[in-house]
Amino acid sequence: MKIQTLGLASLCVILASCGGADTESAEYRGDEELPNGMTISEMIETRQDGLEDVGGSFKTISDELKKGDPNVADIQTAAANVEAHSQEIGDWFPEGTGADSGVETEALDSIWEDPEGFEAAITKFETAAGELNTAAQSGDVEAIQAAFETAGGTCKNCHDSYRADDD
Ligand code: HEC
């Protein structure tokens, strides 16, 4: 049976939904336990808190770099934090923690449909975050600036393919 021979209406019946995954209509399974012992909602909250923290540290570095005389100690603390989180991010997206869990999340299904691509995006981020921290600890502001831009590109690289509603 070819898909083209089906009308759109019958295709919708077969797929049991039209318009793709919809957080609002997914049945809530946030209380279900994952193999790591956390519930789905705990896992999603943990990763969102972690990513928020990455965002906060990244903003600290950005704000300092805009100053004529950046506070290098603050940059060093923030860069160390980003590197630490970059090594954890691989544990933050276990299978089952997408929007179809009924928990609000911007994590796209492409994370689990394209695990190699997602893994590659994590590796890029890890590498860049490590280089940013090395530059930060050196105290060389020009090197920090360059490494910061590279690291920022790796956030966008992942968000473009694996995060909804990024602006
Ligand atoms: C490997 C993929 C990946 C990388 C790398 C990545 N992110 Fe994200 N980020 C995501 C995904 C997916 C979400 C959505 C998570 C959710 O809603 O469950 C997200 C969410 C966020 C959020 C929102 C958190 C919240 O409050 O819900 C911020 C802020 C953020 N990322 C900042 C960054 C910054 C800054 C970097 C780089 C320094 C970065 N991210 C690198 C995938 C990534």
Side-chain angles (χ1 to χ4, degrees):
M1 180 170 63
K2 284 202 190 122
I3 285 258
Q4 291 93 309
T5 65
L6 296 165
L8 183 59
S10 51
L11 192 60
C12 289
V13 171
I14 291 167
L15 299 175
S17 76
C18 259
D22 178 16
T23 315
E24 304 295 320
S25 66
E27 197 189 326
Y28 184 78
R29 291 190 289 106
D31 297 333
E32 276 179 28
E33 201 169 295
L34 295 161
N36 70 9
M38 294 174 102
T39 65
I40 290 174
S41 69
E42 282 169 352
M43 185 68 251
I44 291 177
E45 198 180 315
T46 298
R47 78 164 170 243
Q48 289 175 341
D49 286 352
L51 287 161
E52 184 129 10
D53 197 41
V54 168
S57 290
F58 225 61
K59 184 170 182 316
T60 297
I61 300 171
S62 164
D63 289 348
E64 288 306 319
L65 288 173
K66 283 180 197 143
K67 295 180 185 167
D69 186 17
N71 182 328
V72 173
D74 283 358
I75 293 177
Q76 288 172 336
T77 304
N81 189 44
V82 173
E83 184 182 17
H85 282 322
S86 78
Q87 290 164 355
E88 295 165 357
I89 195 169
D91 296 329
W92 286 348
F93 295 91
E95 198 121 16
T97 60
D100 60 5
S101 66
V103 180
E104 204 169 306
T105 174
E106 291 174 4
L108 293 178
D109 290 346
S110 52
I111 291 170
W112 299 280
E113 287 159 7
D114 174 27
E116 290 86 6
F118 188 64
E119 195 56 48
I122 290 175
T123 301
K124 271 189 192 165
F125 173 48
E126 258 176 358
T127 304
E131 285 168 3
L132 173 58
N133 193 22
T134 301
Q137 304 313 322
S138 81
D140 175 344
V141 174
E142 259 178 54
I144 297 171
Q145 177 74 48
F148 175 74
E149 282 166 26
T150 304
T154 68
C155 316
K156 184 172 165 16
N157 173 62
C158 185
H159 290 173
D160 281 351
S161 301
Y162 304 105
R163 179 185 176 192
D165 297 324
D166 189 36
D167 34 69

